[in-house]
Amino acid sequence: MAVMSLPVTFELTRGDARVLRYCLYGPADGFPVISHGGSPSSRWKLPHVVEAMERSRLRLLVYDRPGYGGSTRQPGRSVADAAEDARALADAYGWQRFGVFGGSGGGPHALACAALLADRVTRCAVLSGIKPADPGAAHSDETALRSRLAARAAEIMALIDAGGPEVPAGPGPAARTDPDAMARLRATFVDGTDGWLDDSLAFGRPWQFAPETITVPVGIWRGTRDANVSPEHADWLLAHLPTARGHVYDGGHLPDAPVYGHIYDWLHPDTRHPAEVPDAAVPSRLPS
């Protein structure tokens, strides 16, 4: 029988008694980075992402936002609230300076840290990130939204039960034969409904910080074949973030390991920020 090999889960109890659950990846002496997962997601990452993290020069703390994976729900939270959770996690390890990374729905939360913890955040990387919602786009019926998300989660898990791969619409072996894959899927689509709901509600409201005020270097990565997030989101971020630099890779919403490797290298403080390098020296496209 297959044995689960997922990394150890740690817990931090906040002053308001909320619990945050997280995992640590990468070399113990690596430069600290706090990673904000997508919507929905889990602290347990896909094998090729773990491989890239372990090969990096970073110590990545990947945590479950409130409502995901056993982290205590925080109803009514805003995108900006992620900054205080990140501050608490960094303080627990004595990290005075650290980078932040956000994938997809984690992008706004990473940007919140860059805006509100500018004295501590060194660099902010956003992968397949989203822009603020248009005015008036807020979800008005929480019950209906929860029902839609639950239906989508049930649809995905039904495909898994039928022999589908872990990543919906992607290649790969049947996830149901892999206990690690099933644990990641259940954490994301079965136990993460509250987090997914609260993320969706937060995205529809003002983020409670102004992206235009960010002063730390920001890298914006997007794939040429991203079926989840259209290019207009990256375009908006690049137009509104004074310190942002765009990177385009050949691939979808979730890139391959080399792209993650490039992002993790960029996040290390010893790597020169692309804005410091002549345009001709910076590749505009990365291998998938």
Side-chain angles (χ1 to χ4, degrees):
M1 184 175 68
V3 178
M4 291 177 60
S5 58
L6 297 172
V8 174
T9 292
F10 300 93
E11 292 187 351
L12 173 70
T13 301
R14 295 291 320 272
D16 56 4
R18 287 190 298 112
V19 171
L20 294 175
R21 307 188 81 188
Y22 62 94
C23 292
L24 294 166
Y25 299 88
D29 61 349
F31 183 78
V33 169
I34 294 178
S35 180
H36 304 260
S39 304
S41 67
S42 164
R43 65 188 178 277
W44 293 321
K45 311 315 292 181
L46 293 165
H48 75 282
V49 181
V50 174
E51 176 188 355
M53 289 192 287
E54 295 301 329
R55 289 186 175 184
S56 76
R57 297 176 293 159
L58 307 178
R59 184 62 162 173
L60 291 114
L61 187 157
V62 182
Y63 80 105
D64 285 327
R65 275 191 301 282
Y68 287 112
S71 289
T72 310
R73 189 185 181 195
Q74 186 183 12
R77 61 178 166 86
S78 70
V79 170
D81 287 333
E84 286 307 309
D85 282 346
R87 186 199 300 273
L89 290 163
D91 287 349
Y93 284 90
W95 296 344
Q96 293 304 310
R97 299 282 281 166
F98 55 92
V100 289
F101 170 77
S104 191
H109 298 91
L111 291 172
C113 296
L116 302 175
L117 304 176
D119 59 330
R120 300 184 65 173
V121 170
T122 54
R123 295 182 181 183
C124 172
V126 175
L127 167 67
S128 306
I130 62 173
K131 67 181 182 69
D134 295 329
H139 296 286
S140 58
D141 189 337
E142 182 174 333
T143 301
L145 175 59
R146 181 182 289 276
S147 179
R148 288 197 298 272
L149 295 178
R152 177 56 180 153
E155 177 184 348
I156 291 171
M157 294 306 294
L159 292 173
I160 298 300
D161 289 341
E166 180 174 0
V167 179
R176 65 187 183 190
T177 64
D178 181 345
D180 284 359
M182 292 306 299
R184 287 188 292 265
L185 286 160
R186 291 192 184 99
T188 302
F189 296 109
V190 178
D191 301 327
T193 304
D194 283 342
W196 196 2
L197 172 71
D198 292 336
D199 275 355
S200 301
L201 293 170
F203 295 149
R205 297 189 295 259
W207 288 0
Q208 302 299 329
F209 70 92
E212 294 84 355
T213 65
I214 293 175
T215 58
V216 306
V218 179
I220 305 293
W221 277 261
R222 73 168 182 87
T224 57
R225 300 190 302 277
D226 190 337
N228 298 67
V229 176
S230 63
E232 69 176 294
H233 289 266
D235 293 341
W236 189 97
L237 294 171
L238 290 169
H240 288 78
L241 301 174
T243 60
R245 177 72 178 230
H247 306 259
V248 180
Y249 62 88
D250 184 19
H253 190 65
L254 300 176
D256 291 338
V259 176
Y260 281 103
H262 182 271
I263 295 171
Y264 298 151
D265 185 61
W266 181 89
L267 277 166
H268 196 282
D270 288 348
T271 304
R272 291 183 64 194
H273 182 253
E276 303 167 354
V277 183
D279 286 347
V282 181
S284 61
R285 300 170 79 89
L286 302 175
S288 61

